[in-house]
């Protein structure tokens, strides 16, 4: 998921076939006809042999195993011509969910400029503690939202939870927009943070569970893209606030619009087929798989999903299950990735970027943040094209190495005896390089790979735990960054960020398992099979 921008809080194909491709006898099949195949009755316990999924090796040997009739011949031709639109049915559902990330980015960038105008109008101008509280109460709400998201998802499913979660986002934005006291502003910001906390956990889960395996990485990048677009939108709309001290009310009021669109859009979005299978709604799950992934994938996909969900021994898992393998290892990886992400300096770099840009004549904080947002967006677009081609592991390792190099470049520019103007220009280039490197891997991959590695039973709890760690370290880095800079100087602090980035690359190279091109069920079964059974101990 797109996490870098959280730091601004601290001011801070269609089918192709010719006549010869179709068989003489056409067999018309619908999703409803699948009921005869024994997969739709939740009261029937399918046998293990029937539900065992095909292995990756079998798929590679028999790529057209489930393709019928003329489709068997037309698929290679479509692939040869590059006409592949299998991503299109799921795209509107994923795009709707990513509206939550747009709101995330919008609210993060929102307080970058108008905080002083808000403080003057509400009567706490000149009080840095209260100004920081207005900003940081957002993180408190987000932390609580992360913890509560798991139980909501298990009872209601991602689709319904995201729809209900739009309510605090709308109410919080409207309450903040009409606030005439500090208390009203704090409650509004808290409600928005609460909604954002739930969304940051559930949107990556939802996208990973409804996306076709082949495009899961690219669709996961939409989280980062949505966040970047939200930041750019808020920063662009904030320019009139420099001349209109009351413009912040309009900015907060505008935030209710995307929240309303999210609520209405998720009403028409599909529910996760994994969740539907887990609660026994197999007919609904079949229909979703048919609509989103294609009818030819229904049987194989249902076999894979059921082969995992039927083995869930304890549907009502608790937080203590995070201490049991293999959940313990995945939770360790998820928490560590977010700790390393924050300690690699993204909060500090974005916080200090306005001062860096002011050194080269860009004195407007909003304009400097806008340049940063555009660079972030460019990196997210690059990640969209590379995620399912290069793989998650390569992007993470390469991203952290690029971030380390950028940090060392900035530190060298600060301490070296070069011309002052040249030093400032090198610092700006290094800052943009760092943000671009972050947006390619460390930003989008971190939020995506955790649900990919998590089991169906514990996915929401592992994500809730990991993101709660993220918010804690987000707060701590933002709280102590300026104090560290004042005590040690910018160059040593940036050098430390570079060192952490190198450690992060080593961690990813050692611990991360590549998930590109593998279904969630394949990944879960491979991780489970690698753990020693009770008979082997």
């Amino acid at each position: 998921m797109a996490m870098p921008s959280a730091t601004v809080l601290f001011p801070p194909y269609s089918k192709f076939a010719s006549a010869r491709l179709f068989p003489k006898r056409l067999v018309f099949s619908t999703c409803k006809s699948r009921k005869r195949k024994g997969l739709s009755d939740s009261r029937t316990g399918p046998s293990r042999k029937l539900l065992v999924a095909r292995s990756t090796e079998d798929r590679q040997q028999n790529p057209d195993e489930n393709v019928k009739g003329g489709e068997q011949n037309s698929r290679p031709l479509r692939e040869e011509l590059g006409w592949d639109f299998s991503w299109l049915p799921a795209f509107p559902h994923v795009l709707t969910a990513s509206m939550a990330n747009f709101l995330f980015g919008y609210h993060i960038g929102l307080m970058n400029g108008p905080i002083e105008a808000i403080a003057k109008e509400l009567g706490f101008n000149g009080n840095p503690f209260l100004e920081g509280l207005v900003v940081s109460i957002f993180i408190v709400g987000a932390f609580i939202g992360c913890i509560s998201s798991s139980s909501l998802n298990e009872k209601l499913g991602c689709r319904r939870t995201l729809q209900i979660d739009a309510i605090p986002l709308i109410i919080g934005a409207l309450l903040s927009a009409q606030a005439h006291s500090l208390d009203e502003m704090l409650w509004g910001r808290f409600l928005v943070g609460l909604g954002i906390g739930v969304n940051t956990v559930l949107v990556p889960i939802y996208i990973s569970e409804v996306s076709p395996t082949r495009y899961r990485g690219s669709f996961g990048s939409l989280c980062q893209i949505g966040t970047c677009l939200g930041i750019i939108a808020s920063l662009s709309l904030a320019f009139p606030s420099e001349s209109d001290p009351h413009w912040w009310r309009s900015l907060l009021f505008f935030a209710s619009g995307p929240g309303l669109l999210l609520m209405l859009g998720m009403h028409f979005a599909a529910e996760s087929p994994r969740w539907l299978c887990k609660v026994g709604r197999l007919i609904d799950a079949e229909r979703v798989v048919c609509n989103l992934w294609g009818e030819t994938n229904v049987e194989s996909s249902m076999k894979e999903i059921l082969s995992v969900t039927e083995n869930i021994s304890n549907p009502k898992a608790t937080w203590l299950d995070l201490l049991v393998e293999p959940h313990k290892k995945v939770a360790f990886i998820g928490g560590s990735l977010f700790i390393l992400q924050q300690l690699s300096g993204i909060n500090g770099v974005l916080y200090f970027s306005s001062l860096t840009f002011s050194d080269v004549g860009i004195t407007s904080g909003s304009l400097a943040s806008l340049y940063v947002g555009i660079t972030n967006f460019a990196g997210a677009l690059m990640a969209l094209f590379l995620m399912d081609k290069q793989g998650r592991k390569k992007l993470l390792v390469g991203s952290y190495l690029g971030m380390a190099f950028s940090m060392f470049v900035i530190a060298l520019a600060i301490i070296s005896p070069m011309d002052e103007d040249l030093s400032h220009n090198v610092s700006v280039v290094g800052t943009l390089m760092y943000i671009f490197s972050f947006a390619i891997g460390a930003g989008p991959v971190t939020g995506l790979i955790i649900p990919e590695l998590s089991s169906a039973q514990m996915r929401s709890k592992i994500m809730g735990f990991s993101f709660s760690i993220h918010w804690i370290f987000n707060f701590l880095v933002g709280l102590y960054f300026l104090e560290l800079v004042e005590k040690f100087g910018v160059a040593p602090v940036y050098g430390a960020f570079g060192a952490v980035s190198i450690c992060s690359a080593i961690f990813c190279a050692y611990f991360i398992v590549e998930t590109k091109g593998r279904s969630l069920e394949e990944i879960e079964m491979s991780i489970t099979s690698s753990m020693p059974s009770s008979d082997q101990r």
Side-chain angles (χ1 to χ4, degrees), residues 454-473:
S454 304
S455 65
Q457 180 185 19
M458 296 293 293
R459 187 166 290 132
S460 59
K461 282 186 169 55
I462 291 175
M463 284 291 286
F465 166 78
S466 302
F467 269 95
S468 64
I469 295 295
H470 160 265
W471 288 112
I472 291 172
F473 277 82

Side-chain angles (χ1 to χ4, degrees), residues 9-11 115 124 127-137 475:
L9 280 170
F10 296 93
I115 184 63
F124 57 92
N127 190 326
F129 174 78
L130 293 180
E131 290 182 9
L133 185 60
V134 170
V135 174
S136 61
I137 195 70
F475 177 79

Side-chain angles (χ1 to χ4, degrees), residues 215-236:
Y215 300 103
R216 193 174 61 241
S218 297
F219 280 177
S221 300
L222 291 177
C223 291
Q224 176 84 355
I225 291 175
T227 304
C228 295
L229 290 176
I231 294 174
I232 293 173
S234 64
L235 293 175
S236 300

